[in-house]
């Protein structure tokens, strides 16, 4: 099992290398983010152990650049940064696991073996609804070829609507999937973010009312306009109109 270790603390890197070698891993070590990015894109590894605070380029940027380049080697972030937002940022940028320093070698080796067994994930498909495209890997949204700038929450909401395009989704369902299953804030936060999205992707869906189903379906035909419809008494759905 071939491991790339990207760690700028030379002594720690050597300690980790020796421990992994003793466990049967074949380890290559580099000490900067720039070298780590080059090695990970030019060579093949079963897993990458990546520090966050690195000279040249942070581990966050390395991971982000790897995923943008289509490199799906499993990444374990090994770092002293233990805040929940630090971990969330790592996962949002494509990391597969996160371990804080100081750490147990037994746990590190177990997690690496689990990542290797799981293998590199399949690259997420680009979603298309009408002239709207969303690339989960690159965190990029385009409308008729023009990039739209979305916040992380707007992106998550749009991704959920696109994956369920044509379905009427309740506010409760949206909250559970885009916010949190235990979210206890006001439900009208969904309305607020739907409003933000409507302004950014263009067009407000009409309320189809009780006697009309509206424009249903999720055809990817170019030039068709995506809108977020209000479904009275239910919630919202993403559809396309001519």
């Amino acid at each position: 099992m071939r491991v790339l270790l990207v760690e700028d603390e030379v002594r720690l890197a050597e300690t980790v290398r020796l421990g992994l070698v003793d466990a049967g891993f074949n380890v290559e070590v580099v000490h900067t983010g720039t070298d780590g990015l080059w090695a990970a894109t030019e060579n093949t590894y079963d897993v990458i152990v990546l520090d966050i605070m690195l000279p040249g380029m942070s581990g966050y940027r390395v991971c982000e650049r790897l995923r943008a380049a289509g490199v799906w080697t499993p990444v374990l972030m090994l770092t002293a940064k233990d805040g929940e937002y630090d971990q969330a940022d790592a996962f949002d940028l494509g990391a597969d696991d996160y371990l804080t320093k100081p750490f147990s070698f037994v746990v590190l080796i177990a997690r690496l073996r689990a990542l290797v067994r799981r293998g590199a994930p399949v690259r997420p498909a680009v979603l298309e609804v009408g002239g709207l495209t969303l690339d989960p890997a690159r965190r990029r949204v385009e409308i008729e070829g023009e990039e739209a700038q979305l916040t992380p929450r707007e992106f998550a909401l749009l991704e959920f609507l696109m994956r369920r395009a044509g379905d009427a989704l309740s506010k409760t369902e949206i909250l559970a999937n885009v916010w949190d299953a235990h979210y206890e804030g006001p439900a009208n936060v969904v309305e607020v973010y739907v409003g933000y999205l409507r302004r950014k992707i263009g067009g407000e869906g009409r309320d189809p009312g009780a006697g009309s189903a509206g424009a249903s379906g999720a055809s990817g035909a170019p030039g068709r306009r995506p809108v977020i419809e209000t479904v009275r008494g239910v919630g919202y759905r993403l559809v396309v109109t001519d």
Side-chain angles (χ1 to χ4, degrees):
M1 291 181 284
R2 195 166 184 223
V3 179
L4 174 64
L5 172 60
V6 189
E7 169 61 64
D8 64 323
E9 296 181 42
V10 177
R11 290 184 179 179
L12 176 59
E14 181 61 11
T15 299
V16 173
R17 187 191 71 81
L18 291 173
L20 293 179
V21 169
D22 285 344
F25 290 89
N26 180 0
V27 185
E28 181 177 342
V29 180
V30 295
H31 300 295
T32 71
T34 306
D35 288 343
L37 178 63
W38 183 89
T41 52
E42 294 297 320
N43 303 305
T44 301
Y45 302 94
D46 295 294
V47 65
I48 299 169
V49 179
L50 181 63
D51 191 14
I52 290 179
M53 304 301 290
L54 292 166
M57 181 184 299
S58 75
Y60 289 138
R61 298 286 77 77
V62 172
C63 190
E64 182 180 36
R65 295 275 294 275
L66 288 175
R67 297 320 189 213
V71 177
W72 297 100
T73 307
V75 171
L76 182 146
M77 291 287 200
L78 185 64
T79 177
K81 296 171 71 68
D82 61 356
E84 60 182 15
Y85 289 105
D86 298 315
Q87 296 186 42
D89 287 343
F91 289 125
D92 282 345
L93 293 171
D96 299 278
D97 202 352
Y98 192 106
L99 189 61
T100 57
K101 304 172 184 176
F103 57 89
S104 161
F105 252 103
V106 173
V107 173
L108 172 62
I109 290 169
R111 290 191 175 187
L112 292 180
R113 285 179 173 155
L115 289 175
V116 171
R117 285 195 303 270
R118 196 181 310 160
V122 177
R123 186 181 193 277
V126 175
L127 305 176
E128 289 189 47
V129 177
L132 179 67
T133 63
L134 181 147
D135 187 335
R138 299 172 62 205
R139 310 290 295 179
R140 183 181 179 92
V141 173
E142 293 185 356
I143 305 167
E144 299 293 346
E146 294 292 326
E147 184 174 6
Q149 299 296 328
L150 304 184
T151 67
R153 186 73 71 185
E154 291 167 354
F155 187 96
L157 174 57
L158 181 60
E159 181 176 1
F160 182 61
L161 291 171
M162 291 181 73
R163 289 191 184 278
R164 298 283 302 275
D167 294 346
L169 303 169
S170 69
K171 292 180 182 178
T172 300
E173 191 174 4
I174 292 171
L175 284 171
N177 285 274
V178 178
W179 274 259
D180 184 89
H182 305 290
Y183 174 80
E184 296 181 351
N188 67 356
V189 70
V190 176
E191 298 174 24
V192 173
Y193 275 86
V194 165
Y196 294 158
L197 277 183
R198 282 172 168 166
R199 287 193 288 273
K200 291 186 177 182
I201 70 172
E204 291 194 12
R206 60 190 176 83
D207 180 347
S212 171
S216 62
S219 168
R224 301 189 69 198
R225 180 167 156 243
V227 297
I228 302 173
E229 275 189 345
T230 299
V231 183
R232 189 181 305 166
V234 180
Y236 302 96
R237 66 179 163 202
L238 182 68
V239 298
V240 290
T241 61
D242 293 322

